[in-house]
Amino acid sequence: MEKKYTPSLWLCILMDLIGCASYAVPVLGDVSDLIWAPISAIIFYRMFGGSIGTFGSAFNFLEELFPGTDFIPTFTVAWVVKRIWAGRRTVAMK
């Protein structure tokens, strides 16, 4: 059985903090979100892959693009979901 990769929690928290950093500069923040949204979505998909990565990257793209939604910790929530999903899969196999 092959072990699936789960990204580090600290890396997920860092990615969420980078996404929230646009709040630091009010006007420039909205412009930076236009640049960060596709980059963040690509990173999200590469980190999680599979169905979580596909759905999550689309959600992450929209969350970063729309103003006022940067507070959602998408990477961290995906990390928790992936850990719970992996835990359930392990229990089911025993």
Side-chain angles (χ1 to χ4, degrees), residues 17-36:
L17 289 174
I18 291 170
C20 289
S22 64
Y23 282 130
V25 183
V27 176
L28 186 62
D30 293 332
V31 175
S32 69
D33 280 346
L34 293 174
I35 297 166
W36 176 245

Side-chain angles (χ1 to χ4, degrees), residues 12 33 38 40-41 47 55 60-62 69 74 76 85 92:
C12 292
D33 280 346
S40 177
M47 283 176 64
F55 174 76
N60 183 268
F61 177 77
L62 294 174
T69 58
T74 313
T76 306
W85 198 331

